[in-house]
Amino acid sequence: MNIKTIGIIGAGTMGSGIAHACAIAGVEAVMQDVSESALEKGFKTVGSSIERLVRKGTIDDAGKTAALARVCTTTRVEDLASVDLIIEAATENEALKIKILRAVDAIAQPGTIIATNTSSISITRLAASISRPEQFVGMHFFNPVPVMALVEVIRGLRTSDATVDAVGELAKRLGKTPIGVKNSAGFVVNRILCPMLNEAVFALGEGLASAEEIDAGMKLGCNHPIGPLALCDMVGLDVLLAVMDVLYDAFKDPKYRPAPLLREMVDAGLLGRKSGQGFYSYAG
Ligand code: 3HC
């Protein structure tokens, strides 16, 4: 199946990043969210990340205009009825995702593939909530989507080969490298990455070193591009906590217990970059 048009549910960090990737690759994208203000913010994010490419000389102003013209926005799920693929990129909450997936399943054409950008939730379980589990797949992008080259393509128990192939092919057209992953909590990357980020929060909470020193340790000692606490702020502390909760619930292994400081910060509304404050301050 040749995917030409894409619906994206959610205009947040990941949804707008996926819209950017589509726009640059010449793929039409319809971004849906519940409020006009969320859509405006998401569309502005797409505009500013495309502007980075203009500043670098990768594309010119005409290219930017053409790319932005490929992205449209709507508050109505029904407006996604004619697309070839719908990618759900809403908040990492299973009940919310199921509600959205059922709504999408009800309006999408019979041939439409439905994908989820979940960071960790079981693809098999999400698939069971809709009428087309064979046409349901995990398509997991990484933050910031315009820069990160990976897409995990996660096969649920009932996902068809045709669905996996179509989504892998699309990932390549979006300039990404797909890897095939078996359904399991956290898939591959977050299963490995998130416990490391969580451990950095433990280290900070136990007063082993300051946030700056912990980050310098991992950058200078392990050649990571940014430190783990700065990466927590970029990913979103709420997202990291949700992934750790999923890992802990799935494996019942104490090694996945979320750091108390992580939960405390999420409770306080300190979510990282998106809230202006996490382990570092982003005010102003
Ligand atoms: N949108 C578009 N482009 C961006 C961007 C954004 N939000 N942020 C950075 N860039 C681009 C810049 O334009 C620049 O491009 P160039 O090299 O072609 O000129 C390039 O990225 C480097 O940017 P900067 O020089 O400004 O900053 P850094 O050198 O600090 O790099 C980074 C930024 C690439 C994001 C780097 O810090 C990095 O690789 N961080 C790690 C990211 C990571 O691990 N992501 C995975 C998170 S886990 C996840 O997403 C899974 C989820 O389920 C939780």
Side-chain angles (χ1 to χ4, degrees):
M1 179 186 182
N2 186 13
I3 297 169
K4 294 198 191 72
T5 51
I6 295 181
I8 301 164
I9 305 276
T13 311
M14 299 308 284
S16 54
I18 297 167
H20 166 112
C22 291
I24 293 299
V27 177
E28 309 265 327
V30 187
M31 205 163 43
Q32 187 274 342
D33 209 315
V34 284
S35 75
E36 287 293 351
S37 63
L39 289 169
E40 264 169 44
K41 194 168 168 224
F43 192 75
K44 219 172 128 199
T45 304
V46 178
S48 50
S49 63
I50 290 180
E51 182 59 33
R52 280 174 187 258
L53 300 178
V54 176
R55 281 203 302 271
K56 277 192 326 200
T58 311
I59 59 170
D60 58 15
D61 281 331
K64 176 184 171 182
T65 306
L68 279 176
R70 291 188 194 105
V71 180
C72 60
T73 61
T74 181
T75 54
R76 291 162 31 93
V77 174
E78 297 76 18
D79 290 342
L80 307 186
S82 62
V83 301
D84 301 319
L85 164 73
I86 297 174
I87 306 175
E88 172 278 314
T91 308
E92 193 68 359
N93 171 305
E94 186 163 341
L96 174 71
K97 284 190 188 291
I98 288 176
K99 192 170 159 224
I100 290 171
L101 292 172
R102 287 194 174 135
V104 161
D105 189 31
I107 58 97
Q109 291 172 352
T112 300
I113 294 175
I114 303 178
T116 174
N117 182 56
T118 178
S119 302
S120 58
I121 300 169
S122 167
I123 302 305
T124 299
R125 208 163 55 234
L126 291 175
S129 68
I130 60 169
S131 69
R132 57 183 93 193
E134 302 77 12
Q135 287 158 250
F136 185 78
V137 67
M139 190 174 190
H140 184 211
F141 291 82
F142 290 80
N143 185 13
V145 179
V147 184
M148 305 306 284
L150 181 70
V151 171
E152 286 180 316
V153 177
I154 306 114
R155 175 192 281 272
L157 194 67
R158 296 175 66 186
T159 309
S160 72
D161 289 346
T163 300
V164 168
D165 291 348
V167 161
E169 202 45 53
L170 172 71
K172 288 184 197 157
R173 272 169 47 217
L174 298 182
K176 310 294 182 194
T177 301
I179 59 167
V181 181
K182 223 175 98 179
N183 183 49
S184 176
F187 317 126
V188 166
V189 174
N190 281 343
R191 169 89 174 263
I192 299 167
L193 175 70
C194 292
M196 188 274 284
L197 300 183
N198 189 48
E199 204 59 34
V201 185
F202 268 115
L204 182 68
E206 290 171 19
L208 301 191
S210 68
E212 289 79 3
E213 285 168 323
I214 291 168
D215 278 357
M218 295 306 285
K219 280 198 296 184
L220 304 178
C222 300
N223 256 2
H224 288 195
I226 55 171
L229 297 171
L231 186 53
C232 288
D233 281 355
M234 183 188 268
V235 164
L237 272 58
D238 53 338
V239 175
L240 177 62
L241 178 61
V243 174
M244 292 312 298
D245 278 337
V246 166
L247 289 172
Y248 188 69
D249 284 351
F251 298 112
K252 308 283 187 285
D253 187 327
K255 75 180 176 185
Y256 295 119
R257 72 203 182 285
L261 176 60
L262 176 63
R263 198 175 292 283
E264 191 75 356
M265 292 197 45
V266 172
D267 286 347
L270 305 175
L271 307 182
R273 281 177 190 251
K274 63 184 159 192
S275 73
Q277 177 74 48
F279 296 109
Y280 298 94
S281 178
Y282 304 89

